[in-house]
């Protein structure tokens, strides 16, 4: 997947009769390339030129490291000046500039004018965020000091982990509190407020990714969404069972419609979200810019104040 944002300007110039000169223009475009995929073809001309005849065109592509990209094995550079960067990595992020040089010939006067246009592409590696789901449910209990409350909670955790065992997902940060609840037109109730998170990185999750030809977060996100759906189905079945399988309500039972879920995004080290700088890819985890870093699964890149970070995707300061 990739996204574009185009913004350009032309430097003013005057046509001087009988004199050769260079016209320079600059167009800046932001491009977002998912890691381990090929970039779209970056075209070394604007829409206007693409509709015109171009005489003696030459193309000079310069990468973020300042080197000529002609002949580099990690790019596909066509004869018509189109550039594709293959198997994009965070270290490949940066400015890709192309200079298109060509001639304008005045047939009457046989004057040749050398013209150059420069195009700048800011190309950024991005990843999909890793998903974790925070889930909350409620169970009615006889009283808050009931010894069975804790035993029930431990058994619920065991059941949930068993539901997810084949998905390399697990339940993390489980907790509960008991509260007294006054519901309109009913007596005072005691309820267990239970919260936990469903995380796609259970022990052994790396094995899921070892044989994938693409980036692993697609697979882990798919699995954790499946885990979330299974857990919702489990609690929906509690409602059905209470209505159809029990003549008397159990001491601890599920509160109908209490299931709530919130998705929590995190980014891999070296990546972060920034909806101001990268508003066209606001939901993406975009590679950290030079001068910033991300050492863990935070959502934002930190600014490094001690040393000067020059590369993209730094994981430490």
């Amino acid at each position: 997947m990739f996204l574009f944002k185009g913004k350009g300007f032309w430097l003013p110039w005057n046509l001087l009769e009988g004199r050769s000169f260079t016209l320079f223009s600059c167009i800046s475009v932001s491009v977002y390339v998912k890691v381990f995929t090929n970039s779209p073809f970056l075209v070394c001309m604007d829409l206007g030129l693409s509709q015109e005849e171009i005489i003696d065109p030459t193309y000079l592509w310069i990468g973020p490291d300042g080197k000529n990209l002609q002949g580099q094995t990690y790019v596909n550079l066509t004869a018509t000046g189109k550039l594709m960067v293959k198997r994009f990595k965070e270290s490949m992020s940066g400015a890709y500039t192309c200079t298109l040089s060509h001639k304008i010939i005045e047939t009457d006067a046989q004057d040749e004018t050398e013209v150059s246009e420069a195009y700048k592409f800011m190309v950024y590696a991005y990843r999909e965020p890793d998903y974790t789901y925070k889930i909350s449910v409620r169970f009615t209990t006889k009283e808050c000091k009931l010894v069975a409350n804790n035993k029930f909670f431990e058994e619920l955790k065991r059941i949930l982990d068993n539901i997810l065992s084949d998905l390399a997902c697990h339940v993390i940060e489980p907790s509960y509190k008991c509260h007294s609840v006054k519901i309109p037109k009913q007596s005072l109730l005691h309820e267990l407020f239970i919260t936990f998170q469903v995380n796609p990185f259970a022990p052994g999750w790396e094995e899921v990714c070892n044989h994938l030809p693409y980036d692993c977060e697609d697979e882990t996100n798919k699995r954790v969404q499946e885990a979330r759906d299974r857990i919702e189905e489990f609690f929906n079945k509690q409602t059905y069972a209470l209505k159809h399988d029990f003549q008397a309500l159990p001491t601890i039972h599920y509160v109908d419609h209490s299931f709530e879920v919130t998705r929590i995004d995190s980014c891999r080290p070296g990546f972060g979200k920034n909806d101001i700088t990268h508003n066209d890819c606001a939901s993406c985890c975009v590679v950290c810019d030079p001068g910033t870093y991300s050492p863990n699964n935070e959502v934002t890149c930190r600014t490094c104040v001690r040393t000067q970070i020059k590369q993209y995707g730094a994981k430490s300061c």
Side-chain angles (χ1 to χ4, degrees), residues 14 16 33 51 60 98 113 127 180 192 219 236 250 272 310:
N14 294 320
L16 303 178
V33 183
Q51 309 298 317
L60 174 63
C98 178
T113 302
R127 308 180 78 142
S180 299
L192 305 178
E219 182 64 24
N236 288 338
K310 297 181 180 180

Side-chain angles (χ1 to χ4, degrees), residues 14-21 106 109-113:
N14 294 320
L15 180 61
L16 303 178
E17 184 177 356
R19 181 177 174 183
S20 178
F21 65 95
E106 299 293 339
Q110 288 298 307
D111 285 336
E112 294 185 1
T113 302

Side-chain angles (χ1 to χ4, degrees), residues 113-215:
T113 302
E114 184 73 22
V115 179
S116 295
E117 282 86 30
Y119 302 92
K120 180 179 179 181
F121 298 85
M122 292 302 302
V123 187
Y124 302 97
Y126 84 92
R127 308 180 78 142
E128 297 292 346
D130 289 312
Y131 301 158
T132 296
Y133 289 98
K134 183 176 181 179
I135 294 175
S136 62
V137 292
R138 290 158 66 174
F139 281 78
T140 294
T141 185
K142 186 176 180 180
E143 58 180 79
C144 283
K145 295 182 179 180
L146 191 68
V147 175
N149 290 343
N150 192 60
K151 293 182 178 179
F152 165 79
F153 179 63
E154 293 300 321
E155 179 64 13
L156 178 63
K157 289 192 296 181
R158 186 192 66 79
I159 292 172
L160 294 176
D161 269 331
N162 187 55
I163 291 173
L164 312 180
S165 60
D166 64 313
L167 296 175
C169 298
H170 62 162
V171 171
I172 63 171
E173 301 182 14
S175 65
Y176 80 93
K177 290 184 178 180
C178 188
H179 296 281
S180 299
V181 180
K182 177 63 179 73
I183 298 177
K185 299 180 181 180
Q186 293 189 33
S187 59
L188 192 67
L189 300 176
H190 302 288
E191 292 187 359
L192 305 178
F193 287 62
I194 299 173
T195 62
F196 57 91
Q197 293 184 21
V198 182
N199 180 280
F201 304 115
W205 72 271
E206 297 93 340
E207 293 299 320
V208 175
C209 303
N210 285 344
H211 307 293
L212 296 178
Y214 50 86
D215 201 25

Side-chain angles (χ1 to χ4, degrees), residues 10-290:
W10 293 85
L11 296 181
W13 59 281
N14 294 320
L15 180 61
L16 303 178
E17 184 177 356
R19 181 177 174 183
S20 178
F21 65 95
T22 298
L23 169 65
F24 179 83
S25 70
C26 184
I27 296 177
S28 180
V29 180
S30 293
V31 182
Y32 298 89
V33 183
K34 192 170 184 178
V35 290
F36 307 130
T37 68
N38 296 338
S39 78
F41 273 109
L42 309 180
V43 183
C44 190
M45 67 178 60
D46 56 38
L47 181 61
L49 275 180
S50 69
Q51 309 298 317
E52 297 177 5
E53 179 182 72
I54 302 177
I55 300 175
D56 293 337
T58 60
Y59 308 92
L60 174 63
W61 278 99
I62 302 297
D65 57 2
K67 295 181 180 179
N68 190 337
L69 294 177
Q70 183 70 45
Q72 299 292 340
T73 59
Y74 59 89
V75 301
N76 180 2
L77 188 55
T78 72
T80 55
K82 297 179 181 179
L83 174 73
M84 172 194 288
V85 186
K86 297 181 287 187
R87 297 285 294 169
F88 205 83
K89 303 180 183 67
E90 55 262 49
S91 59
M92 296 177 174
S93 300
Y96 289 76
T97 58
C98 178
T99 301
L100 165 61
S101 299
H102 61 100
K103 295 177 181 177
I104 296 177
I105 299 177
E106 299 293 339
T107 53
D108 293 341
Q110 288 298 307
D111 285 336
E112 294 185 1
T113 302
E114 184 73 22
V115 179
S116 295
E117 282 86 30
Y119 302 92
K120 180 179 179 181
F121 298 85
M122 292 302 302
V123 187
Y124 302 97
Y126 84 92
R127 308 180 78 142
E128 297 292 346
D130 289 312
Y131 301 158
T132 296
Y133 289 98
K134 183 176 181 179
I135 294 175
S136 62
V137 292
R138 290 158 66 174
F139 281 78
T140 294
T141 185
K142 186 176 180 180
E143 58 180 79
C144 283
K145 295 182 179 180
L146 191 68
V147 175
N149 290 343
N150 192 60
K151 293 182 178 179
F152 165 79
F153 179 63
E154 293 300 321
E155 179 64 13
L156 178 63
K157 289 192 296 181
R158 186 192 66 79
I159 292 172
L160 294 176
D161 269 331
N162 187 55
I163 291 173
L164 312 180
S165 60
D166 64 313
L167 296 175
C169 298
H170 62 162
V171 171
I172 63 171
E173 301 182 14
S175 65
Y176 80 93
K177 290 184 178 180
C178 188
H179 296 281
S180 299
V181 180
K182 177 63 179 73
I183 298 177
K185 299 180 181 180
Q186 293 189 33
S187 59
L188 192 67
L189 300 176
H190 302 288
E191 292 187 359
L192 305 178
F193 287 62
I194 299 173
T195 62
F196 57 91
Q197 293 184 21
V198 182
N199 180 280
F201 304 115
W205 72 271
E206 297 93 340
E207 293 299 320
V208 175
C209 303
N210 285 344
H211 307 293
L212 296 178
Y214 50 86
D215 201 25
C216 188
E217 70 249 13
D218 290 341
E219 182 64 24
T220 54
N221 285 343
K222 175 184 175 182
R223 287 172 177 256
V224 78
Q225 289 178 79
E226 170 66 20
R228 172 237 182 268
D229 293 342
R230 287 187 189 182
I231 289 177
E232 183 175 18
E233 182 182 9
F234 167 76
F235 286 112
N236 288 338
K237 287 181 177 179
Q238 304 307 303
T239 298
Y240 181 88
L242 288 172
K243 292 179 179 179
H244 298 88
D245 298 341
F246 292 91
Q247 293 182 352
L249 289 177
T251 301
I252 302 175
H253 61 271
Y254 176 66
V255 176
D256 193 17
H257 302 302
S258 67
F259 181 87
E260 294 183 2
V261 60
T262 304
R263 197 184 86 186
I264 302 171
D265 289 355
S266 60
C267 295
R268 300 288 174 95
F271 291 79
K273 290 186 178 184
N274 190 324
D275 58 0
I276 298 176
T277 304
H278 303 293
N279 62 334
D280 279 322
C281 205
S283 64
C284 305
C285 292
V286 181
V287 64
C288 293
D289 289 323

